[in-house]
Amino acid sequence: MPTPAADIAALRTLALVGPATAGKTSLVEALLWKAGALGAPGSVERGSTVGDHDQLERRAQRSLNSSLVHFRHRGVQAHVIDTPGAPDFLGQSLPALEAVETAAVVISATAGVEPMAVRMMRWAAQRERDRLIIVNKIDAQGVNLQALVEQIQAEFGRECLPLNLPAERGARVVDCFYNMAADSPATDFSSVAQAHRALVEQVVEVDADFVERYLNDGDVDPQELHAPLEQALREGHLIPICFVSARTGAGVPELLDVIARLLPNPAESNPPQFLKGEGAQAQALSAQPDPKLHVLAHVFKITQDSYVGKMGVLRVHQGTLTAGSQLYVGDARRPFKVGHLFTLQGKEFTEIAHALPGDLCAIAKVEELHFDAVLHDAPEDDHIHLKPLDFPVPVHGLAIEPKRRGDEQRLHDILQKLVSEDPCLRLEHVAATNESVVYGLGELHLRTLLDRLTDVHRCEVTTRPPRIAYRETITAPAEGHHRHKKQTGGAGQFGEVFLRVEPLPRGAGFEFVDQVKGGAIPYNFMPAVEKGVRQALEQGVVAGYPVVDLRVVVYDGKHHTVDSKEIAFIQAGKRALQAAVQAARPSVLEPIVNVEIAAPEQHVGDITGDLASRRGQVSGTASAPGGLAVLAQAPLSELSSYQSRLNSLTGGQGRYTLAFSHYEPVPPPVQAQLASHFRVRDEA
């Protein structure tokens, strides 16, 4: 039996990321088939793939969730994560980067470098993952692979170099790293000798000794270049390019060899970006892939399985995880016992005895597990967490409610489960409108959520656009006063409050200050005053939206020894705050979002004109594959159902992303309209 150190050296982990059209799921099938883990590759069209096992995925013929598979090749155990390619499902693809050593960006030879490939390369670089580019569909008609390599190098840098080259019009590929023979076979472009020389020169640059040997001897045996190769991959000094056809299997055996012989094991890659402590005091911490140390593992995926219930999928970074282990979740004080450990092959899970650093496994039936949780077996590790991922902010919202009365709690429970599985879904209850609003990254994201509700969970719902999350604030200091006095025959109610409000910088929130002297308001009634103030802030004063970014200073008041009660000071605080805000030149704020619209260049003029009509401000343009990207800011309220408008402007070729930027005051006519609607609702 191999030692644990040998097991770790024989582990490889990679995530297939990139555009939806690149053929990642088909490539996974080809890898499993050629590695002997499948008798025959499945088909996306027939719904028979290992990865796309969800009924919605099979119906849509596209990946909607990340999926884990594993296989063995050349004595190496490889864990592969297949990820969705649509931008709406970044909540599934981005966390995969935290679980692997290598981000394999798959690019379609027919489509070229698409925006999703650019985004995933950028995110992988930010997380210091080793990067590999896989060009798929090399046998397609009319592809120009040499031009594609030039496009890749123009987009990602000259460090992107072919590790092998296609031959016979994509019918097979020829290795260029280990192949040193002068009489190498002909290739579709370039030559093996030229590609080999470029690779070796790029690798030896990271090691001065090898540079000297290369200059003196003219070449270096690639078998000796393992350590500098891994260093070049870690530092991003080399990004290899491999060519495959998942359809025919061309290049797939060679890709398996690359995974086994060249990609890093857990001890050779950059360590995960752990932090110990919170906020500015947090310090960087390196997990060591040592099976003898205490356990550190990270939950990068949550699923709800119909048979085993809630399941946390995790990456072990340090120590050895075994069935029966006692683990803590984050800073929880009570450990849980690991009942069973599983390894995943699509929807199939197999029980395993232990997991080493680098292993991907799953734990079921532990309700405390949640996305991004750090599991550990030492109480002193309770404040360790991974550096947060830079997820896009979900801003596409739908107000949602059950069709049948009485299903409210059931709907809420189902939505909570679905939100727990996707960090880019957000569920919010808006108290002012009594709306439950679910936010996602786009129309496809939310439509998939609704399909899951109705088709999988059999929960019928109705939806409508949510109210825009306006806010109110003040622009000047002012004072407010209210005396609440009520006599009902017996003991009455009495409370009087004097306060002033002061504007705070945008984003500062709310401050409550008690400056009452001499017991004018007894200290035991001050929480009631604050409660009334907070009620008024939540309900809004001008247009019915929460009031933010102000300081409330209570400086005087009166009480009655018999009639003063909490309810009296709640009402007095509430009414005094409303009077002060009305006098403080109140302003309604609207959310402004950053908009990035990619479209063919000939449509840019129409897009900028349309944005201007929506009170948008264009800040510039940038190059984008197949056209230009328009960069702008616009009010969120003006972008309702914008995809439909963009489709009509660009003939369906445009796409856009939104990210919350800041709040700005609405124009006076809009504020007057919002205020008039609030008065009508208030009177009703």
Side-chain angles (χ1 to χ4, degrees), residues 291-310:
K292 297 178 182 178
L293 295 178
H294 50 93
V295 173
L296 280 179
H298 174 248
V299 178
F300 67 92
K301 180 178 173 66
I302 292 289
T303 65
Q304 302 284 345
D305 189 271
S306 57
Y307 295 104
V308 299
K310 187 176 187 180

Side-chain angles (χ1 to χ4, degrees), residues 523-550:
Y523 72 91
N524 57 306
F525 288 129
M526 193 55 67
V529 176
E530 182 176 356
K531 183 176 181 180
V533 166
R534 288 184 178 274
Q535 285 182 359
L537 294 178
E538 290 171 3
Q539 295 171 3
V541 177
V542 177
Y545 299 100
V547 186
V548 297
D549 302 336
L550 79 166

Side-chain angles (χ1 to χ4, degrees), residues 87-88 90 115-116 119 122-123 392-393 395-396 441-442 593-598 629-632 639 642-643 646 654-660:
D88 284 23
L90 285 169
M116 191 63 174
R119 296 173 76 178
R122 182 174 68 245
W123 272 312
V393 179
V395 292
H396 293 258
L441 297 182
V593 292
N594 293 321
V595 192
E596 182 175 332
I597 306 169
V630 178
L631 310 177
L639 297 176
Y642 184 64
Q643 187 63 58
L646 187 59
R655 55 193 177 276
Y656 76 104
T657 58
L658 298 179
F660 173 77

Side-chain angles (χ1 to χ4, degrees), residues 150-196:
E150 293 171 357
Q151 183 189 11
I152 289 172
Q153 291 176 336
E155 186 68 52
F156 304 127
R158 305 300 296 181
E159 61 270 23
C160 301
L161 295 173
L163 205 57
N164 50 41
L165 288 171
E168 300 174 13
R169 296 185 179 180
R172 63 188 186 90
V173 303
V174 181
D175 168 66
C176 299
F177 184 69
Y178 290 104
N179 198 334
M180 303 170 62
D183 57 346
S184 299
T187 56
D188 291 345
F189 68 93
S190 184
S191 70
V192 173
Q194 181 181 341
H196 173 80

Side-chain angles (χ1 to χ4, degrees), residues 82-426:
D82 180 23
T83 66
D88 284 23
F89 303 110
L90 285 169
Q92 292 288 324
S93 55
L94 281 182
L97 298 179
E98 300 294 1
V100 298
E101 268 71 56
T102 303
V105 180
V106 184
I107 293 174
S108 168
T110 58
V113 179
E114 298 180 80
M116 191 63 174
V118 176
R119 296 173 76 178
M120 296 310 297
M121 284 287 282
R122 182 174 68 245
W123 272 312
Q126 289 173 353
R127 305 307 284 194
E128 298 182 343
R129 301 296 86 194
D130 291 19
R131 284 167 289 164
L132 170 71
I133 294 174
I134 302 174
V135 176
N136 191 17
K137 306 181 183 180
I138 60 172
D139 60 326
Q141 285 280 62
V143 297
N144 187 337
L145 297 178
Q146 183 172 5
L148 177 57
V149 170
E150 293 171 357
Q151 183 189 11
I152 289 172
Q153 291 176 336
E155 186 68 52
F156 304 127
R158 305 300 296 181
E159 61 270 23
C160 301
L161 295 173
L163 205 57
N164 50 41
L165 288 171
E168 300 174 13
R169 296 185 179 180
R172 63 188 186 90
V173 303
V174 181
D175 168 66
C176 299
F177 184 69
Y178 290 104
N179 198 334
M180 303 170 62
D183 57 346
S184 299
T187 56
D188 291 345
F189 68 93
S190 184
S191 70
V192 173
Q194 181 181 341
H196 173 80
R197 184 167 58 252
L199 283 167
V200 172
E201 289 177 354
Q202 191 75 5
V203 170
V204 299
E205 281 183 359
V206 302
D207 191 309
D209 292 337
F210 278 107
V211 170
E212 186 174 351
R213 283 182 56 187
Y214 182 75
L215 293 175
N216 292 335
D217 302 339
D219 204 349
V220 179
D221 187 349
Q223 302 288 350
E224 301 180 56
L225 291 179
H226 183 81
L229 172 67
E230 299 305 334
Q231 181 181 346
L233 293 174
R234 281 195 303 273
E235 296 175 357
H237 191 68
L238 173 64
I239 302 174
I241 304 173
C242 295
F243 294 89
V244 300
S245 169
R247 185 182 67 86
T248 66
V252 175
E254 289 79 6
L255 179 57
L256 287 170
D257 287 344
V258 168
I259 293 171
R261 301 178 69 183
L262 300 181
L263 293 190
N265 64 50
E268 293 172 330
S269 66
N270 291 315
Q273 299 177 2
F274 278 107
L275 299 172
K276 185 173 180 62
E278 307 295 335
Q281 287 72 41
Q283 297 181 342
L285 176 98
S286 291
Q288 304 298 321
D290 186 339
K292 297 178 182 178
L293 295 178
H294 50 93
V295 173
L296 280 179
H298 174 248
V299 178
F300 67 92
K301 180 178 173 66
I302 292 289
T303 65
Q304 302 284 345
D305 189 271
S306 57
Y307 295 104
V308 299
K310 187 176 187 180
M311 179 181 289
V313 187
L314 53 98
R315 157 72 185 250
V316 181
H317 290 283
Q318 179 177 286
T320 301
L321 193 56
T322 60
S325 299
Q326 296 277 348
L327 293 181
Y328 297 89
V329 181
D331 58 0
R333 291 291 178 262
R334 180 180 298 177
F336 70 90
K337 183 177 180 180
V338 178
H340 302 278
L341 275 178
F342 301 103
T343 184
L344 302 179
Q345 188 80 317
K347 67 177 180 180
E348 305 295 332
F349 42 90
T350 305
E351 192 164 350
I352 56 176
H354 67 274
L356 298 173
D359 272 324
L360 309 184
C361 58
I363 298 175
K365 298 181 179 179
V366 179
E367 287 304 314
E368 295 87 348
L369 291 182
H370 58 86
F371 171 76
D372 213 27
V374 170
L375 308 184
H376 57 94
D377 59 0
E380 61 268 21
D381 291 339
D382 58 352
H383 288 293
I384 292 177
H385 56 94
L386 272 174
K387 181 180 178 181
L389 275 165
D390 185 20
F391 285 111
V393 179
V395 292
H396 293 258
L398 273 180
I400 188 168
E401 62 183 22
K403 278 188 176 179
R404 293 185 303 178
R405 293 187 61 183
D407 277 357
E408 289 81 6
Q409 186 60 47
R410 178 169 177 261
L411 173 61
H412 181 267
D413 292 344
I414 295 171
L415 286 174
Q416 288 286 9
K417 288 182 179 180
L418 296 176
V419 168
S420 73
E421 296 178 2
D422 190 337
C424 288
L425 281 174
R426 179 166 56 90

